[in-house]
Structure formats: structure tokens, C-alpha cells
Amino acid sequence: APPPRDGLQTRVAPLAIRKMRSGLVLACAAFAAIVSDALAFAPGAALPSLAGRVAPNNCLLGLDMMRHGNRKNKLALPADQRKALLRGLTTEIIRHGRITTTLARAKAVRGEVDRMIGLAKDGSLSSRRAALGWMYDKELVHSLFEAAPERYGTREGGYVRVLRTLNRQGDNAKMGVIELV
């Protein structure tokens, strides 16, 4: 166990962090140093009072965190444009059965098409409303809800396949064909 200390010792964040981060992060670092000092006392020693010292709200807001569990491809688009793109691609895949697009877009839209077909297999009113809220064509939603239960009744997911094709000639982007199974 470390030797007991007479009082709280606050540690200052390194200079690089102070230059890069805002004052909120420095406050978080100082609070973490105070708490670690309080926990570092020897067993049986009197703990210093932390009264009045409260961690700032959203203490880790300014820190760069890892993207654990965030598997969605952002497609180099803002959220509203990405959603519009995925809605349009989903509508066209279900309308035509097969489209050619970039491989990243095909992989990103695959889950949305699976979700629409799953909603159509369910067939409930709330599922129909969810599909109408996502797809752009109302008549296409109704035809999907009529055809999907008999076409995909025995299949448990995996309603689309993505195939690689030749790269695009202009910018050599990876291309793919996404089609309904």
C-alpha cells in the first residue's frame, strides 16, 4: 500500500492535453486526480472530504472515445443525406429486384432491405406503417406486403445478396450488384 498522505495532491494534465482539450476536460482530469488520491490512502487512514467537489456534467464529452459497437458505415455523408440515400436505394431495390451501386452502399443498404422484408412478413398494421414511413412509394409497400409472406415465408433473414463486379471506370470505385434472393 502507498504511504499515507497529509492532504490532497492534485495532478495537472500534461501540457499537450491542456493545449488540445477544453477546460471541461481539464476539470475532469483534476476531479479524477482528486478521487484517485482519495482512494490511494492506506487502509484505516482517514479519507479526505470530497464534499463540494462534483464531477462536471458530461465529463467525458470532449474525449475521443473508441467506436465499440458502432458498425454503421457513414458513407461520407451527413446523417440526413445518408438516411435519404438509404431510403432511396431500399425503394429501388424492392421495385427493380436488382441494382448496381458502389460496394459500400450495397453493404449499407442490405440491412434496411432485410428490415423492410421482415416487416412485410409480419404484416401487422404497425409494421405496414413503419414500412410506409421508410419507403418512398406507397403502392410498392402494399405490393411488398402482399408478395413477401409467400416468397420469403420459410426464409429467416438474408433476403438480399451482394455480388462484386468490376470497378467503376472513372474513379476505380469498388462496385457491386445487390439483388433480392
Side-chain angles (χ1 to χ4, degrees):
R5 298 178 186 164
D6 294 330
L8 291 177
Q9 295 178 353
T10 58
R11 297 183 195 106
V12 178
L15 183 61
I17 293 178
R18 278 187 280 160
K19 286 183 179 178
M20 291 171 30
R21 306 290 184 210
S22 66
L24 176 65
V25 175
L26 289 178
C28 293
F31 184 78
I34 291 170
V35 171
S36 67
D37 283 343
L39 296 177
F41 275 79
L47 291 176
S49 172
L50 293 178
R53 295 186 174 129
V54 179
N57 290 335
N58 299 327
C59 190
L60 297 177
L61 185 64
L63 298 177
D64 294 330
M65 304 300 283
M66 291 187 179
R67 299 183 67 241
H68 295 302
N70 298 328
R71 303 276 186 254
K72 189 176 290 186
N73 189 345
K74 295 189 182 294
L75 300 174
L77 292 173
D80 57 341
Q81 295 176 20
R82 182 171 55 249
K83 182 178 177 183
L85 174 72
L86 292 177
R87 287 177 69 186
L89 287 174
T90 302
T91 304
E92 295 306 312
I93 290 167
I94 292 175
R95 175 178 289 132
H96 298 291
R98 173 185 179 120
I99 63 170
T100 302
T101 184
T102 63
L103 196 60
R105 289 179 180 181
K107 289 180 178 181
V109 77
R110 177 174 46 190
E112 299 301 329
V113 175
D114 279 351
R115 190 170 69 88
M116 290 299 117
I117 294 174
L119 290 173
K121 280 177 59 177
D122 180 36
S124 67
L125 181 61
S126 62
S127 297
R128 187 177 295 265
R129 286 177 175 164
L132 285 168
W134 183 259
M135 292 174 54
Y136 287 126
D137 191 356
K138 182 177 181 178
E139 288 77 22
L140 186 63
V141 171
H142 294 311
S143 64
L144 175 66
F145 271 69
E146 291 171 4
E150 59 265 8
R151 183 172 177 180
Y152 300 108
T154 59
R155 183 179 284 268
E156 296 293 328
Y159 307 114
V160 295
R161 82 170 51 97
V162 176
L163 304 170
R164 291 175 181 253
T165 59
L166 295 174
N167 290 359
R168 188 161 52 197
Q169 190 170 3
D171 59 355
N172 205 29
K174 294 180 182 177
M175 298 297 287
V177 173
I178 182 167
E179 61 186 6
L180 295 175
V181 175

